[in-house]
């Protein structure tokens, strides 16, 4: 069941999205050599509180932290710990908030100091693939148009798209229908309508698309140990086209 949000609900989701982006902005600025995922988690929690929000992730299926921090070959769902970031690392921050019953969900991959050309390219292509997906968020298109646009951008640049994890509808729950895969055929899947809100979140691997979950039950890593990047926005489909809600 795909929910259509009213203008009143969309207005709330705009606020939730803006608050999510504010948290991300502050957390992103704190990503530097010598900082730790645990510090970022604490900072994120502080900003969430200041914004009058709660973490969408804490306690979700038993998830133990406020945000997910995934470094280098870690794809998503990294549990913040005390490891030190080193120059050259890439750090994916995934965070969501709930505000007055509405969710915002967003991810960015940040560079720690100076990183390799390859890392820069991976981050750029992943970010662009999200933009390509968002461009397809037009009433009358289908979910498959988003999936296909993301996949084509990624594979044409020599990278691969994670298949085991997908984007999702979002609203008064973090995960609503429909699933939004980052791969697939154009022209198939549910039709997009004005008032739908989707979290589009390409996870892009330098090497193969295969991933596995570590013993901690959460951290998803690339099977080949190569790098991965993750960009996500919460996006509304409106009469005026796509509207990114997770922006400042
Ligand atoms: N942004 C992610 C998601 O969409 C993270 C959720 S995992 C959690 O689906 F357990 F940490 F919440
Ligand atoms: Co998400």
């Amino acid at each position: 069941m795909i929910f259509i949000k009213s203008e009143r609900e969309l207005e709330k989701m705009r606020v939730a999205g803006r608050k999510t982006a504010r948290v991300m902005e502050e957390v992103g600025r704190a990503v530097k050599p010598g900082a730790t995922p645990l510090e970022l988690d604490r900072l994120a929690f502080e900003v969430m509180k200041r914004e009058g929000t709660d973490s969408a992730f804490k306690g979700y299926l038993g998830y133990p932290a406020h945000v997910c921090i995934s470094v280098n070959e870690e794809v998503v769902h990294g549990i913040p710990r005390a490891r030190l970031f080193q120059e050259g690392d890439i750090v994916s921050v995934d965070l969501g908030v709930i505000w007055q019953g509405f969710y915002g969900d967003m991810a960015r991959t940040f560079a720690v100091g100076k990183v390799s050309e390859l890392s820069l390219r991976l981050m750029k292509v992943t970010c662009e693939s999200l933009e390509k997906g968002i461009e397809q968020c037009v009433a009358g298109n289908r979910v498959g148009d988003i999936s296909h646009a993301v996949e084509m951008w990624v594979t044409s640049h020599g990278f691969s798209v994670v298949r085991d994890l997908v984007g999702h509808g979002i609203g008064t729950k973090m995960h609503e229908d429909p699933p939004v895969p980052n791969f697939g055929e154009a022209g198939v899947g549910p039709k997009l309508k004005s008032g739908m809100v989707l979290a589009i979140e390409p996870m892009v691997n330098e090497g193969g698309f295969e991933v596995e979950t570590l013993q901690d039950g959460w951290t998803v890593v690339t099977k080949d140990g190569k790098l991965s990047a993750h960009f996500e926005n919460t996006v509304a489909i409106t009469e005026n086209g796509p509207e990114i809600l997770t922006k400042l």
Side-chain angles (χ1 to χ4, degrees):
M1 166 88 173
I2 305 177
F3 297 113
I4 303 294
K5 277 80 180 174
S6 67
E7 189 49 43
R8 226 187 98 255
E9 291 170 318
L10 274 183
E11 199 44 57
K12 295 229 167 182
M13 292 202 74
R14 285 187 185 102
V15 177
R18 199 176 311 126
K19 289 174 179 290
T20 310
R22 285 193 194 127
V23 181
M24 183 61 80
E25 203 214 3
E26 293 217 23
V27 171
R29 267 195 268 130
V31 176
K32 47 189 171 216
T36 72
L38 213 49
E39 284 168 21
L40 299 191
D41 190 83
R42 215 172 297 127
L43 173 63
F45 181 60
E46 272 173 34
V47 183
M48 285 176 191
K49 287 290 122 192
R50 198 208 301 148
E51 292 291 332
T53 63
D54 279 314
S55 164
F57 296 2
K58 178 90 198 236
Y60 178 81
L61 302 175
Y63 185 71
H66 303 98
V67 301
C68 300
I69 309 284
S70 310
V71 184
N72 296 333
E73 80 286 356
E74 296 172 352
V75 179
V76 287
H77 302 170
I79 301 172
R81 53 193 174 95
R83 78 185 278 174
L84 302 178
F85 297 138
Q86 291 181 19
E87 177 115 7
D89 287 342
I90 61 171
V91 174
S92 297
V93 176
D94 188 356
L95 61 88
V97 311
I98 178 164
W99 180 78
Q100 294 196 1
F102 289 88
Y103 285 86
D105 190 7
M106 154 179 221
R108 294 286 184 269
T109 301
F110 299 100
V112 180
K114 194 172 156 47
V115 303
S116 69
E117 279 300 317
L118 175 64
S119 296
L120 287 176
R121 211 155 51 75
L122 178 67
M123 290 190 288
K124 181 164 184 280
V125 168
T126 309
C127 183
E128 289 167 346
S129 76
L130 171 58
E131 288 165 7
K132 296 293 166 189
I134 292 171
E135 277 172 21
Q136 296 299 317
C137 287
V138 174
N141 277 2
R142 290 179 183 273
V143 169
D145 295 317
I146 301 172
S147 307
H148 187 71
V150 171
E151 180 181 23
M152 285 302 110
W153 191 259
V154 170
T155 54
S156 69
H157 288 83
F159 296 129
S160 68
V161 152
V162 173
R163 307 175 89 86
D164 291 0
L165 298 138
V166 299
H168 47 94
I170 179 168
T172 53
K173 287 195 280 175
M174 180 161 62
H175 295 143
E176 295 183 353
D177 281 342
V180 184
N182 297 298
F183 58 95
E185 250 181 89
V188 304
K191 196 175 262 189
L192 303 179
K193 296 192 182 119
S194 199
M196 288 182 183
V197 182
L198 305 176
I200 305 174
E201 49 178 318
M203 290 144 270
V204 175
N205 291 353
E206 170 201 352
F209 67 81
E210 298 89 351
V211 298
E212 60 193 14
T213 304
L214 296 185
Q215 292 289 339
D216 64 16
W218 283 102
T219 315
V220 177
V221 298
T222 58
K223 228 171 208 171
D224 58 17
K226 294 188 177 180
L227 299 171
S228 188
H230 183 204
F231 282 75
E232 173 178 28
N233 276 326
T234 299
V235 180
I237 291 133
T238 79
E239 276 160 25
N240 306 317
E243 179 182 344
I244 298 172
L245 304 184
T246 39
K247 64 168 202 277
L248 292 174

